[in-house]
Amino acid sequence: MPQGSSHLPAPQEPCAAPSSEPRSTPSGGLRSALPGELRSAPLGEPRSAPPGELRRALPGEPRSATEGGHPPSRRPHRVAVIVDEGTNPFEVGVATELFGLPRPELERPEPLYELTLCTPTPGVRMNHGFFTLSGVPGLDAVDDADTLVVPGRPDNVVPRRAAVLAAIRRAHARGARVVSFCTGSFALAEAGLLDGRRATTHWRWTDVFRELHPGVLLDPDVLFVDEGDVLTAAGSAAALDLGLHLVRRDHGAEVAGAVSRRLVFAAHRDGGRRQFVRRPLPDVPGESLAPLLAWAQERLGEPLTVGDLAAYAAVSPATLHRRFRAQLGTTPLAWLTAHRVALACRLIERGEVRLDVVAERSGLGTAANLRERVRRVTGLSPSAYRRRFGPPSGEPVTA
């Protein structure tokens, strides 16, 4: 899930270290300060969504319906989250925030998603026993989901329950999209979904993962990997990146941008970004790229070059390149191009049909360059992108 654009990286929230403590499964109610926010209604009728032909597209951007994506439907896209013994609460919270809560910022009556949490037993104790989740459906709810999310847990050397692995395999076999957050990738690998495919996991667990699952093409340096029907996020914070990527893939850049603003989170850190940088903050405050990025984003439609960026930052192009690599894990040109493509997608979603106008306003120059860049990033031509994410009436939408 591939390259794209990015903002300043947020720090990773590492998963817990390996644990040798025995597991237990006490039953009981949800003992949490927010008991009502971790429950959801059972799913409705089952739906089968064939994965279609897979092709590589850049992470952080929408993909076509023939690449494992899910075209708009009359009902919300159903998301199920498997909460097993020891699951990390943060990742369950990410799924709840992105796929389970109302989105008033969108000013639309219909929800984007319908979320269900499901457990293999009536009561499941979360990581470190902070609380017990109960009163939610069992694993049969997975059979109704369009997307299945598997969060991580700290005891990754302990085999998963057979019922959990069977539910993951069933979902994948019938064409559902399967997603892991952090070390949830261990469960996907154990279920056989990752053999011979690219995937990622938290960087602290890469050696253990490779030892247990040598057939997986593990990429330990990226935030997430999108293989079309199977997607893996590196760490807990990267779950937000992958979740917003799914929103963008399902509903377009405009909707994903609105959701990210509500979350006060970077809308577009692409999956190819490094999980962490060894110097996340500049030694000298004046070396921060934040002022330059803000300045450039307001001028994407202008003929900006890397030289212009360097001149504004009052450094040489070579120094600017080193700072981009150190702070963002990308190059100035790649960052500029990716943000111009994202702007072009937003203009198309708002109803602009004149490709030369979109190319000019986004800084991509020509309609031919626009077509090439949009197709390379999204897997769709501008016309196909408009049909999928543009205004239903074909009329322009006021920004």
Side-chain angles (χ1 to χ4, degrees), residues 12 15 34 55 68 75 87 92 99 183 198 211 273 312 373:
Q12 281 288 322
C15 298
L34 300 173
R55 70 182 293 277
R75 61 161 179 75
T87 293
V92 177
F99 307 124
T183 56
R198 287 183 67 240
E211 181 179 351
R273 290 276 302 283
Y312 180 83
R373 296 291 182 178

Side-chain angles (χ1 to χ4, degrees), residues 339-349 358 362 364 370 374:
H339 279 267
R340 282 172 165 163
V341 173
L343 174 58
C345 289
R346 292 196 298 271
L347 292 172
I348 294 172
E349 290 175 32
V358 174
S362 64
L364 293 175
L370 170 71
V374 170

Side-chain angles (χ1 to χ4, degrees), residues 85-146:
E85 188 79 7
T87 293
N88 294 324
F90 180 85
E91 292 144 36
V92 177
V94 169
T96 302
E97 172 65 47
L98 288 173
F99 307 124
L101 299 184
R103 303 251 65 97
E105 65 271 20
L106 299 179
E107 298 181 352
R108 54 194 291 178
E110 70 278 4
L112 298 180
Y113 300 95
E114 179 181 296
L115 178 74
T116 287
L117 306 182
C118 55
T119 60
T121 59
V124 166
R125 189 178 69 166
M126 305 295 288
N127 189 8
H128 292 300
F130 288 131
F131 56 85
T132 296
L133 178 65
S134 62
V136 299
L139 294 179
D140 288 346
V142 171
D143 299 330
D144 291 338
D146 304 305

Side-chain angles (χ1 to χ4, degrees), residues 201-219:
T201 194
H202 194 280
W203 60 268
R204 294 181 62 191
W205 284 92
T206 54
D207 291 341
V208 176
F209 189 98
R210 284 190 172 116
E211 181 179 351
L212 292 176
H213 307 290
V216 179
L217 305 179
L218 186 68
D219 188 342

Side-chain angles (χ1 to χ4, degrees), residues 307-345:
D308 294 327
L309 299 180
Y312 180 83
V315 298
S316 69
T319 297
L320 184 69
H321 191 279
R322 286 195 297 270
R323 290 184 183 178
F324 264 76
R325 281 294 188 188
Q327 297 181 40
L328 299 180
T330 188
T331 66
L333 181 59
W335 182 92
L336 190 60
T337 301
H339 279 267
R340 282 172 165 163
V341 173
L343 174 58
C345 289

